[in-house]
Amino acid sequence: MYPLKFEPILKQTLWGGDKIIPFKHLNESLQNVGESWEVSAVEGSESVVANGPDKGLTLPEMVRKYKEELVGEANYARFGEKFPLLIKFIDAKLDLSIQVHPDDALAKQRHNSFGKNEMWYVIAADKGAKLISGFAKEITPKEYKERVHDGTFAEVLQTCNIQPGDVFYVPAGRVHGIGAGAFVAEIQQTSDITYRIFDYNRKDKNGKTRELHTAQAVDAINFSDVQDDFRTAYDHVQNEPVEVVACPYFTTSVYDMTEEISCDYSELDSFVIFICVEGSCRLIDNEKNEISLQAGETVLLPATVQEVTIVPEKAVKLLETYV
């Protein structure tokens, strides 16, 4: 097998902006693109291979064709033919809704789906951009319902000013929202289940408000999820991987590189995804497959890859994630 690139799946949204098209160097004229789904096996939004002999196959078709060779033996035993991660870029021109995601147990019971644990890496942030993550103080389910009803729910949430390089892990059950001016990479479980709690009373192009899931969200919310700062602290060092999130669903590291690095995956029983958030580089695997990667692009290395050398062109920032 060889490193795979996919055609981006662009999603126009009520709150989408104008950053994704130029960031990804696309020849598109779409307006209000809120998301680019980079690697997706979500039904109805399946990524299509953009390069090599398997060009044109969908990600689910690739998993069915290559099985453990693509995802790794343990992942294939755990997830079967369901690819476990969804990778996105998100550009919020306006505030996204305040929302929460169910965990695996609740999502399985209600939707026969994975839950949705996710993380954000801030690529860019307009002046004053914020992310909402968790509670500023503990509240009860009764107070939650009252505050949603009277419009004061946002007052008990933790709002964080952001800057490029900030990382937030958002486990299922944590109330959250992406604020206007935030441009992030999102790594998450393969799930499109969102319980929308508050949407700023917005109306769509047809004059209708979007559906809220206030009642469904009660069972998903972790009401004791209170911290002073929900950012993930990490050391900003160059030319070595810095692990920022390690959870049962994915492990993610940041690479800030000006020099060549070789990564040994001989003991790793998983695919590896690289997301380029700044600059450009070349990736060369142990079978001499070579692929270029620039800001806005994502590549999936199959589990058969034993080693990859990353050669930056001047400088590059990458996110590496695997299961």
Side-chain angles (χ1 to χ4, degrees):
M1 292 193 70
Y2 60 96
L4 301 169
K5 285 185 177 180
F6 297 93
E7 301 289 350
I9 302 168
L10 303 177
K11 305 271 186 176
Q12 292 174 285
T13 64
L14 273 176
W15 42 262
D18 55 9
K19 293 188 176 83
I20 285 175
I21 300 291
F23 178 69
K24 290 184 59 60
H25 311 281
L26 299 177
N27 184 22
E28 293 276 359
S29 57
L30 293 177
Q31 303 294 312
N32 306 114
V33 176
E35 300 183 346
S36 175
W37 289 23
E38 297 290 295
V39 180
S40 170
V42 172
E43 187 175 352
S45 294
E46 296 92 348
S47 292
V48 174
V49 177
N51 66 316
D54 291 308
K55 183 177 180 177
L57 291 183
T58 66
L59 181 53
E61 287 170 339
M62 291 292 288
V63 178
R64 289 194 289 271
K65 179 177 179 179
Y66 291 105
K67 302 180 171 63
E68 298 96 338
E69 288 181 66
L70 178 60
V71 299
E73 291 182 9
N75 285 333
Y76 192 72
R78 180 180 173 189
F79 302 112
E81 293 182 346
K82 294 181 178 178
F83 190 81
L85 292 187
L86 171 58
I87 309 297
K88 302 176 181 178
F89 294 120
I90 300 177
D91 173 22
K93 186 176 182 179
L94 304 173
D95 293 327
L96 274 68
S97 61
I98 296 172
Q99 55 191 242
V100 72
H101 305 304
D103 63 14
D104 280 347
L106 187 60
K108 178 72 175 174
Q109 173 192 330
R110 287 184 175 175
H111 311 281
N112 193 30
S113 168
F114 293 137
K116 194 170 174 183
N117 290 262
E118 62 190 19
M119 67 160 284
W120 300 321
Y121 175 90
V122 178
I123 300 170
D126 295 345
K127 186 176 181 181
K130 296 177 173 62
L131 293 173
I132 292 170
S133 184
F135 287 105
K137 69 170 195 171
E138 193 167 336
I139 66 169
T140 64
K142 179 174 181 290
E143 184 181 351
Y144 156 79
K145 292 175 183 176
E146 291 169 351
R147 285 184 173 276
V148 169
H149 181 70
D150 66 21
T152 62
F153 183 55
E155 293 176 8
V156 295
L157 301 179
Q158 189 68 263
T159 301
C160 307
N161 292 306
I162 55 170
Q163 60 185 9
D166 282 351
V167 169
F168 289 76
Y169 176 55
V170 186
R174 179 169 294 168
V175 175
H176 61 277
I178 296 176
F183 183 44
V184 305
E186 182 173 274
I187 298 165
Q188 59 163 93
Q189 289 175 274
T190 293
S191 169
D192 200 27
I193 299 169
T194 294
Y195 296 149
R196 197 179 294 123
I197 299 168
F198 180 64
D199 195 36
Y200 304 96
N201 304 312
R202 280 185 293 217
K203 293 181 170 59
D204 64 18
K205 60 185 178 183
N206 300 315
K208 295 182 178 179
T209 55
R210 294 197 294 176
E211 181 185 3
L212 299 180
H213 313 98
T214 308
Q216 298 98 309
V218 173
D219 298 325
I221 294 172
N222 177 0
F223 285 100
S224 60
D225 192 17
V226 179
Q227 295 180 33
D228 290 334
D229 190 344
F230 286 87
R231 269 183 209 82
T232 299
Y234 68 97
D235 294 326
H236 295 257
V237 297
Q238 282 195 318
N239 300 315
E240 60 181 83
V242 179
E243 186 176 285
V244 290
V245 174
C247 68
Y249 309 99
F250 49 82
T251 297
T252 302
S253 297
V254 174
Y255 288 65
D256 182 358
M257 298 170 50
T258 57
E259 301 172 1
E260 184 177 303
I261 291 179
S262 289
C263 306
D264 182 357
Y265 296 126
S266 58
E267 300 297 316
L268 180 68
D269 181 24
S270 175
F271 62 89
V272 176
I273 294 171
F274 278 105
I275 306 156
C276 187
V277 297
E278 187 178 312
S280 60
C281 64
R282 291 179 293 124
L283 303 180
I284 306 160
D285 72 13
N286 52 285
E287 296 182 5
K288 299 296 185 274
N289 293 304
E290 183 172 329
I291 196 162
S292 62
L293 199 60
Q294 65 177 343
E297 291 188 320
T298 303
V299 66
L300 189 156
L301 306 180
T304 52
V305 169
Q306 301 292 298
E307 184 179 357
V308 67
T309 300
I310 306 169
V311 184
E313 294 169 358
K314 295 184 179 176
V316 67
K317 286 184 182 176
L318 305 170
L319 303 178
E320 171 208 63
T321 194
Y322 57 82
V323 175

